Amino acid sequence: MTTGHIASKGLYFTIFAALMVLTAVTVGITYVDLGDLNLVVALGIACTKALLVVLFFMHMRWSHRLTHVAAITAIAFLVILFAFTLGDYFSRGALGELGR
Amino acid sequence: MDSTTLTAPNYLNNGHTWQSWLLTRDHKRIAILYLISISAFFALGGLFALMIRLELMTPAGDLFGAETYNKVFTMHGVAMVFFFLIPSIPATLGNFLVPMMIGAKDLAFPRINLLSWYIYVLGGLFTVAAVTLGGVDTGWTFYTPYSTAASNTHVILTGLGVFISGFSSILTGLNFIVTIHKMRAPGMTWFRLPLFIWAHYATSLIQILGTPVVAIAIALVALERLFHIGVFDPTLGGDPVLYQHLFWFYSHPAVYIMVLPAMGVISELIAAFARKEIFGYKFVAFSSLGIALVGFFVWGHHMYVSSQSAFAGMVFSILTYMVAIPSAIKVFNWTATLYRGSIAYSAPMIYAFGFLGLFLVGGLTGLFLGALGLDVHVHDTYFVVAHFHYVMVGGTIMAYLGGLHYWWPKMFGRMYSEAWARFAALVIFVGFNLTFFPQFIVGYLGMPRRYHAYPPEFQVLNVLSTAGATILGIGYLIPMIYLVYSLRKGEPAPANPWGATGLEWQTTSPPPLENFHEIPIVTEPAYAYAKQETHVG
Amino acid sequence: MASVDSSHVHHSALQHHFESLEQQKESSIFGMWLFLVTEVLFFGGMFMAYVLYRTWYPDAWLAASHHLDVTLGAVNTAVLIGSSLTMAMAVRAAQLGQRTAQVVFILATMFLGFVFLGIKAVEYSDKFAHHLVPGPNFRFEDATVARQAQIFFSVYFAMTGMHALHMVIGAGLLTWILIGAIKGRFTPEYHTPVELIGLYWHFVDIIWIFLFPLLYLVGHH
């Protein structure tokens, strides 16, 4: 059968509501001073929202292992790009400069 | 032998109109469209190479001014890297053979395959336009802030050409990955796949993951030139080295896009012409994946002297040594395959031997460059130039020519002249070494790259290099002549002229439109040659 | 719809090189996911620039971000999330063979997409009016962070501009499946194009889900 998993309207509306609530939270919490934690919370909420969209709207919840591998690979290589590049910037001067 | 296959219905005689070629969805015809266009770019890049070598025959910068010379080596690099090497094996041999080797009728997305060729041609046209309008002088690497703030040449036009051609690369990789996962014939398990397929699978992973990052790097350079968006602008506090990180994140794995398919070809050639299964099949298969993966962790070895931190340099250096390991595994395994093999010295095999020696030299000199301390001395000298030409030309192009010869009878139903082919292979080998070995020496002695003039003490080696380049150029012309000649006058080819294993040899030469009259069912491993009897004495 | 030959039934949408509609659909969906992988890395390069410069210039980032309208950004976020809902419903309608519902939901998605772009246009023209577009006309009230603020706006325009371009392309793709839906091309057995465009559209929504807090909600005193 090529129809694939059919989600219920109720599920979609629930996810929609959750996304709206999370959006409201992320706006609201900007006005609370948590210092550095503000960024962590904002990213955490964004990741949660993204996960909801991916799992339910994009049907990853009911799809093949191969799509999971593809999505995880994308994130992994993004992390590699960030980690190694920032690794350079954060360690500038740590071991002195080349040739000096 | 059997000339009826040339007149029997096959993919070549299935329609002779322009539309039947330019609107084809047949992966085999698309492979030939690519073959023609990448050959054109090889000729263009070769022309620029000739101009470089002519200038460098004499120490004074007398043939061109410095700015013109900058344009010449830039266009040589752009044409060769983006429009020849990156697509070469995957888009020609890969497109033709991937479906056949797995027992499929076509790639997963035939229309996207055709689209990828048109996108490639469009990108190429932008680049040719840039050349015609006066060229670009930033180096194929487009480093900022020169490319964003100072160069008054056609950076955006060339960048657009490269950006567009990146989509072609992405679509090819996407097509291969889906095809290999979803369209293998019954019985074709992962570990029965030819190593050519493993190599192209790994290459496709790199194309998917790496190309988008260079695309955004180039797009940001274009935006900075057009709209003064100052992401790399040091006067605003931007970092030009960020561009290098984004650029090399792709461009280092890109060299594996260039060499992995070549390694796939070599596995096929050595198995066929030693009549023996590849030693350590799984090691070779996994080493392709290993190269693709670890290749993404080493890009900073291009940036040792860019103001990148010493700590990052050390990390990238140790990882660079690690990425050499899977490549070395392949070379050991190919060598072990040759041991006690029944070796035939046909032209494709001569190219394979050439690859083994030249890739070895290129790979080992890569280790020289990967060492942080040594690289400080040879960075931006001809040592680097020699290194990458050994792997790219001595490696990739030798494998490409070997593969082209090996599968030529399958693709066109014609045999070429074996005598001329062997002769050309030897001319190329000699010409290549004469061109590039002196460059190791002259680079180590301190001659910088990308300069149109040099101190007189380097002239002898430069003259040798130019002489070699002339021989190499002639060597490349010879196959163009006899291969084209064979299309009309070559002996009709049998289905399996080499007696090789592999599904592509189980069907006619040239193949029928849908590759097989009946989809094969696979029951044997990839290189099921009869075990050789070992004789003592 | 389907033609019968002596051996088996061929759905009219089945392409000749595939064995079955199932294989074809799985391949197409996998192919779209691979394309989205490339998009993650594409936007990822710009996120890398963002991360670096926010780390280096936190004060400039904060000051510059204050010039973005949180309300408009939040409304746009809600609009885009809504459009993801309508897109998911459109796919569901196709799965259930509901032709009218398909058309309605695709139209709703397009409408919400245009609302988003309209609000974006309002924001952009406001930036033009206040000399906040990078280049020779850039003016920033706080001179100590003016140079780096220009980098913030460079990143802002590059990222939201690229995102908006993807939305425009999405609108084009939605038009394509709208026409298909109106013509009744999509059925429970075959509605792959709707699913594929759906995946693309949700991805564009996800990019905005990250852009909104990173650009608009840097922090308020």
Side-chain angles (χ1 to χ4, degrees):
Chain A
M1 198 48 198
T2 53
T3 307
H5 180 275
I6 305 179
S8 71
K9 276 198 240 186
L11 177 64
Y12 284 151
F13 278 100
T14 309
I15 299 298
F16 171 74
L19 288 167
M20 295 302 246
V21 166
L22 286 168
T23 306
V25 169
T26 204
V27 172
I29 212 151
T30 321
Y31 295 95
V32 179
D33 187 4
L34 301 167
D36 286 333
L37 225 49
N38 271 105
L39 179 59
V40 176
V41 170
L43 282 176
I45 293 177
C47 287
T48 309
K49 288 162 81 178
L51 202 59
L52 289 174
V53 174
V54 165
L55 285 175
F56 297 104
F57 285 164
M58 294 172 83
H59 293 188
M60 173 99 77
R61 182 87 173 70
W62 309 285
S63 64
H64 291 270
R65 160 93 60 86
L66 207 48
T67 24
H68 303 181
V69 170
I72 291 171
T73 306
I75 309 295
F77 279 79
L78 204 56
V79 169
I80 291 170
L81 173 65
F82 286 8
F84 281 80
T85 307
L86 288 175
D88 166 29
Y89 287 107
F90 285 153
S91 62
R92 295 260 174 111
L95 292 172
E97 284 170 46
L98 282 180
R100 276 160 223 241
Chain B
M1 285 175 66
D2 182 359
S3 62
T4 57
T5 49
L6 289 170
T7 49
N10 59 58
Y11 83 100
L12 277 176
N13 58 29
N14 182 53
H16 295 283
T17 60
W18 284 112
Q19 305 95 292
S20 73
W21 278 93
L22 293 178
L23 295 177
T24 183
R25 295 177 193 185
D26 180 356
H27 66 101
K28 302 182 288 301
R29 286 197 168 198
I30 294 171
I32 293 175
L33 291 175
Y34 266 110
L35 179 61
I36 297 169
S37 30
I38 64 155
S39 300
F41 274 99
F42 182 64
L44 183 66
L47 206 67
F48 289 122
L50 189 65
M51 289 161 71
I52 292 173
R53 286 311 331 158
L54 277 173
E55 169 64 87
L56 293 180
M57 261 205 315
T58 58
D62 40 14
L63 195 57
F64 311 116
E67 273 126 12
T68 307
Y69 185 77
N70 293 350
K71 293 179 184 179
V72 172
F73 69 68
T74 300
M75 301 311 308
H76 168 71
V78 170
M80 287 306 204
V81 170
F82 292 113
F83 293 98
F84 176 67
L85 286 168
I86 296 263
S88 61
I89 295 174
T92 56
L93 299 174
N95 258 330
F96 198 95
L97 294 164
V98 167
M100 298 196 69
M101 285 183 171
I102 67 175
K105 294 182 191 169
D106 207 309
L107 289 175
F109 310 119
R111 287 171 296 187
I112 288 184
N113 199 14
L114 182 66
L115 180 67
S116 82
W117 180 71
Y118 276 105
I119 291 174
Y120 167 84
V121 169
L122 183 65
L125 285 175
F126 272 100
T127 307
V128 169
V131 172
T132 321
L133 291 171
V136 62
D137 67 353
T138 58
W140 77 275
T141 44
F142 299 108
Y143 273 14
T144 58
Y146 182 68
S147 61
T148 45
S151 174
N152 59 2
T153 61
H154 296 283
V155 177
I156 294 177
L157 208 51
T158 313
L160 204 53
V162 171
F163 181 90
I164 291 170
S165 74
F167 280 105
S168 172
S169 189
I170 285 173
L171 291 177
T172 299
L174 191 153
N175 224 338
F176 283 179
I177 292 175
V178 178
T179 304
I180 294 169
H181 271 279
K182 296 288 187 192
M183 297 177 70
R184 286 168 282 129
M188 180 59 87
T189 58
W190 281 91
F191 293 118
R192 287 181 180 160
L193 286 168
L195 289 165
F196 181 92
I197 301 292
W198 279 98
H200 279 76
Y201 183 78
T203 305
S204 302
L205 292 175
I206 304 176
Q207 286 171 300
I208 295 288
L209 292 165
T211 317
V213 179
V214 78
I216 198 64
I218 293 174
L220 288 173
V221 167
L223 287 176
E224 198 152 319
R225 279 182 79 87
L226 274 176
F227 300 120
H228 311 287
I229 290 186
V231 177
F232 304 124
D233 185 352
T235 63
L236 297 178
D239 187 19
V241 176
L242 175 64
Y243 169 82
Q244 291 188 34
H245 277 296
L246 295 176
F247 177 82
W248 287 112
F249 179 85
Y250 164 76
S251 298
H252 184 80
V255 313
Y256 300 116
I257 296 177
M258 298 183 233
V259 96
L260 275 170
M263 292 169 157
V265 171
I266 296 301
S267 288
E268 300 302 317
L269 298 184
I270 288 185
F273 292 102
R275 296 200 64 72
K276 209 171 156 229
E277 62 178 356
I278 293 288
F279 181 88
Y281 169 97
K282 279 196 184 174
F283 274 92
V284 178
F286 283 122
S287 70
S288 292
L289 295 180
I291 290 171
L293 176 66
V294 183
F296 272 96
F297 301 155
V298 304
W299 79 81
H301 66 224
H302 299 271
M303 297 168 60
Y304 287 149
V305 296
S306 68
S307 84
Q308 176 179 265
S309 79
F311 179 74
M314 286 165 63
V315 172
F316 280 122
S317 178
I318 188 73
L319 287 164
T320 302
Y321 275 78
M322 283 159 66
V323 80
I325 296 172
S327 293
I329 286 175
K330 285 184 195 272
V331 174
F332 281 120
N333 285 20
W334 288 322
T335 310
T337 307
L338 291 173
Y339 178 67
R340 298 203 182 215
S342 172
I343 298 176
Y345 293 89
S346 315
M349 192 53 163
I350 297 179
Y351 282 110
F353 275 114
F355 176 97
L356 286 178
L358 300 178
F359 178 75
L360 188 64
V361 171
L364 291 175
T365 51
L367 293 175
F368 280 55
L369 292 164
L372 198 43
L374 181 55
D375 184 71
V376 172
H377 294 283
V378 291
H379 179 80
D380 268 349
T381 68
Y382 261 85
F383 193 91
V384 181
V385 176
H387 155 72
F388 64 69
H389 282 92
Y390 261 82
V391 276
M392 294 293 103
V393 182
T396 301
I397 299 188
M398 296 291 272
Y400 174 67
L401 289 173
L404 201 58
H405 283 75
Y406 179 59
W407 282 293
W408 189 265
K410 177 57 56 185
M411 291 166 74
F412 297 106
R414 300 277 187 179
M415 302 301 292
Y416 51 80
S417 160
E418 178 65 15
W420 277 108
R422 288 184 190 173
F423 174 68
L426 292 170
V427 169
I428 289 172
F429 186 80
V430 167
F432 172 85
N433 280 299
L434 189 57
T435 310
F436 292 107
F437 200 84
Q439 293 183 10
F440 276 126
I441 303 171
V442 92
Y444 195 78
L445 291 174
M447 178 180 168
R449 65 185 288 201
R450 295 177 167 175
Y451 277 44
H452 75 320
Y454 54 83
E457 59 261 33
F458 298 139
Q459 180 168 23
V460 173
L461 290 163
N462 271 290
V463 170
L464 284 175
S465 180
T466 301
T470 315
I471 297 171
L472 185 60
I474 293 170
Y476 285 139
L477 280 173
I478 301 174
M480 292 190 192
I481 299 172
Y482 66 73
L483 285 175
V484 173
Y485 176 85
S486 79
L487 292 176
R488 286 286 147 169
K489 306 284 192 180
E491 270 288 304
N496 193 354
W498 316 113
T501 62
L503 292 179
E504 75 270 29
W505 303 110
Q506 312 300 319
T507 188
T508 55
S509 305
L513 187 59
E514 291 200 331
N515 299 338
F516 302 95
H517 291 293
E518 263 177 48
I519 295 294
I521 297 179
V522 179
T523 53
E524 290 192 318
Y527 306 104
Y529 292 99
K531 288 260 184 268
Q532 301 298 316
E533 302 243 327
T534 54
H535 294 281
V536 178
Chain C
M1 232 352 167
S3 62
V4 183
D5 66 27
S6 57
S7 51
H8 46 273
V9 175
H10 281 286
H11 193 283
S12 58
L14 179 64
Q15 292 167 50
H16 70 101
H17 56 286
F18 284 113
E19 300 296 312
S20 68
L21 267 186
E22 187 69 29
Q23 186 194 36
Q24 179 177 305
K25 178 187 152 171
E26 282 179 14
S27 301
S28 301
I29 302 236
F30 183 41
M32 177 52 84
W33 276 101
L34 287 175
F35 177 70
L36 295 181
V37 169
T38 70
E39 292 275 59
V40 169
L41 271 305
F42 186 70
F43 278 95
M46 287 192 285
F47 278 103
M48 180 65 242
Y50 174 96
V51 169
L52 176 67
Y53 293 127
R54 177 168 175 169
T55 311
W56 274 3
Y57 308 127
D59 297 329
W61 232 244
L62 191 59
S65 172
H66 281 178
H67 287 269
L68 298 183
D69 188 325
V70 174
T71 311
L72 287 182
V75 167
N76 254 355
T77 308
V79 163
L80 220 44
I81 291 172
S83 75
S84 263
L85 173 67
T86 53
M87 188 71 232
M89 295 298 285
V91 173
R92 184 173 182 278
Q95 287 175 309
L96 293 169
Q98 298 166 345
R99 208 161 128 181
T100 318
Q102 277 177 54
V103 172
V104 166
F105 283 121
I106 294 173
L107 277 170
T109 309
M110 290 174 75
F111 172 73
L112 290 169
F114 282 123
V115 169
F116 179 94
L117 288 171
I119 294 178
K120 212 72 223 110
V122 165
E123 288 185 278
Y124 273 19
S125 55
D126 175 78
K127 299 289 162 299
F128 271 91
H130 287 96
H131 297 283
L132 291 173
V133 178
N137 295 325
F138 185 84
R139 316 241 181 293
F140 199 73
E141 78 279 346
D142 184 350
T144 55
V145 294
R147 294 184 316 138
Q148 298 92 329
Q150 201 174 157
I151 297 186
F152 174 88
F153 282 103
S154 299
V155 170
Y156 168 80
F157 278 106
M159 297 188 86
T160 59
M162 190 59 75
H163 177 263
L165 176 63
H166 279 75
M167 293 217 39
V168 170
I169 294 170
L173 295 170
L174 284 168
T175 309
W176 174 56
I177 56 165
L178 179 66
I179 296 171
I182 291 172
K183 288 186 177 173
R185 267 188 72 208
F186 306 126
T187 63
E189 293 80 37
Y190 174 75
H191 51 271
T192 312
V194 185
E195 286 201 56
L196 295 180
I197 307 310
L199 288 174
Y200 174 84
W201 191 263
H202 294 306
F203 172 79
V204 177
D205 181 20
I206 289 175
I207 293 293
W208 183 260
I209 282 173
F210 283 96
L211 287 183
F212 173 55
L214 289 176
L215 293 171
Y216 289 77
L217 306 178
V218 174
H220 291 261
H221 297 298

